[in-house]
Amino acid sequence: MRPLLHQTFSKVLGLVFALILLSISFIASIALGTTDIQFQTVVESFLRYDMASDEHVIIQTTRLPRAVFASLIGANLAVAGALMQAMTRNPLASPSIFGINSGAVFFVVLALAFLPISRLDQLIWIAFLGAGISAFTVYFLGSLGREGMTPLKIVLAGSAMSALFSSMTQGMLVLNESGLQNVMFWLAGSVAGKDIKDLLPVLPYMLVAGITALLLAYPVNILSTGEDVAKGLGQKTGLVKVVIAITVILLAGSSVAVAGSIGFVGLVMPHIARFFVGIDYRWVIPYSAVLGAILLLLADVAGRFLIMPQEMPLGVMTALIGVPFFIYTARTEFRSKGASP
């Protein structure tokens, strides 16, 4: 009993530390950039906002919305990746690797290019549709054959769908060059230039999906032991998988709708979370959310300084971190599979 309490205390303490680090990263996102702002000025902008102060205006209209979006999107993508890895029992699963982000981006670009749609509350449903179609297609292709779904088959299917949707997106832009600037940030991923009002159409979906993900933690623990074991314990595995899939689509689709394609957050963060807390998804999911928010905040801050006075797109920053991690994880996974009898 005492070791269990010690483990729980350590996990709670680690989560508190991660939340403190998240707060520091959030403040850094507000204070650092082309115009560095003192911490005292950041506090004053919340307590005694002065419209005549340029720094206060920058904080409230530019930096604060940007930090809020980065935090939420990082958390969304990390939790989506954790759920996907649990459902497929594949350490390489994530919205970007399985083409879900690419599918959502393609459908958004297609709608912007050929339909009279521009409002975010309309685009989010387009993003959900694209994410859903891509997820269903990848799952179907990865399950073909007598062996059923295997890690290698589903990764190949996801890579193929991601490449297909990316190529089709480029084709749409060639056919409609005038709309290139309007959709550029969806291709590279960005949280710059956001207004806090842009959050209102997607916030309900993010909250519902986030709460559902937390409620799924225990069923996911059972499902991750294997489908046969889960069925033997009385779990309705088909229903659990459907709820997980819908939750992932809401998390990834809402993120793509407001920030474009930001990859590899959902791949990296669940692994780091499991390194700290093990395979219990009652802890993996909240840890992934906090760590994903920290990663995207720090990546956004770093992107402001690499090529000043311009900024590196956020999707490029996460790719610089995620691609080496993907290669390492893929080599480790397939080497272990090859070594097994």
Side-chain angles (χ1 to χ4, degrees):
M1 185 67 178
R2 186 167 294 178
L4 179 61
L5 290 175
H6 178 72
Q7 291 178 7
T8 301
F9 177 76
S10 299
K11 292 173 182 177
V12 171
L13 189 63
L15 187 59
V16 171
F17 178 78
L19 288 171
I20 294 173
L21 183 57
L22 173 60
S23 301
I24 295 172
S25 303
F26 193 90
I27 294 171
S29 179
I30 295 175
L32 301 178
T34 306
T35 302
D36 288 339
I37 301 173
Q38 297 294 324
F39 175 73
Q40 181 179 354
T41 305
V42 174
V43 175
E44 289 177 352
S45 72
F46 289 96
L47 299 179
R48 296 185 298 275
Y49 179 64
D50 183 6
M51 294 185 62
S53 170
D54 291 340
E55 291 182 330
H56 285 197
V57 172
I58 290 173
I59 291 170
Q60 295 295 328
T61 63
T62 303
R63 297 278 180 85
L64 178 60
R66 186 167 182 167
V68 170
F69 273 97
S71 301
L72 288 174
I73 291 167
N76 281 358
L77 294 176
V79 171
L83 291 175
M84 292 178 68
Q85 289 172 15
M87 183 177 71
T88 62
R89 303 180 70 190
N90 184 349
L92 298 175
S94 75
S96 56
I97 301 299
F98 281 16
I100 294 176
N101 286 356
S102 298
V105 168
F106 168 71
F107 274 76
V108 168
V109 171
L110 184 66
L112 287 172
F114 296 104
L115 297 176
I117 293 177
S118 60
R119 298 203 322 268
L120 186 58
D121 59 343
Q122 297 172 323
L123 290 175
I124 189 171
W125 288 104
I126 303 296
F128 288 154
L129 176 63
I133 290 175
S134 181
F136 174 80
T137 305
V138 169
Y139 187 82
F140 173 75
L141 293 176
S143 301
L144 292 177
R146 283 184 291 181
E147 295 180 355
M149 185 176 64
T150 64
L152 177 59
K153 285 165 61 177
I154 200 165
V155 167
L156 291 175
S159 300
M161 292 305 300
S162 181
L164 174 63
F165 281 124
S166 296
S167 299
M168 293 171 67
T169 299
Q170 296 295 330
M172 290 295 100
L173 295 178
V174 170
L175 295 175
N176 186 28
E177 294 182 7
S178 61
L180 180 62
Q181 294 301 321
N182 294 331
V183 299
M184 184 59 72
F185 85 94
W186 265 292
L187 304 181
S190 174
V191 292
K194 299 296 180 185
D195 191 295
I196 203 69
K197 294 179 181 178
D198 295 334
L199 186 61
L200 298 180
V202 297
L203 186 59
Y205 304 105
M206 292 181 175
L207 291 176
V208 169
I211 294 171
T212 303
L214 292 173
L215 296 175
L216 281 169
Y218 183 70
V220 166
N221 277 344
I222 297 175
L223 182 64
S224 62
T225 62
E227 192 161 347
D228 292 337
V229 175
K231 288 180 178 178
L233 294 173
Q235 185 181 83
K236 298 179 180 179
T237 57
L239 177 61
V240 172
K241 287 183 177 182
V242 169
V243 176
I244 291 175
I246 293 173
T247 304
V248 168
I249 289 169
L250 289 177
L251 291 169
S254 59
S255 299
V256 169
V258 295
S261 181
I262 298 175
F264 297 103
V265 178
L267 170 66
V268 177
M269 290 301 103
H271 285 273
I272 297 177
R274 285 193 293 270
F275 175 80
F276 287 114
V277 298
I279 59 174
D280 187 347
Y281 278 83
R282 292 173 296 180
W283 292 101
V284 170
I285 289 174
Y287 264 77
S288 296
V290 176
L291 293 174
I294 293 171
L295 173 64
L296 218 58
L297 283 168
L298 295 180
D300 186 40
V301 171
R304 303 173 195 178
F305 292 96
L306 285 182
I307 53 174
M308 288 184 68
Q310 296 180 335
E311 294 186 6
M312 186 74 75
L314 189 53
V316 175
M317 294 301 300
T318 57
L320 292 176
I321 301 170
V323 169
F325 189 90
F326 172 77
I327 295 172
Y328 169 78
T329 305
R331 285 174 59 88
T332 303
E333 173 69 10
F334 295 134
R335 186 180 299 167
S336 65
K337 294 295 183 183
S340 61

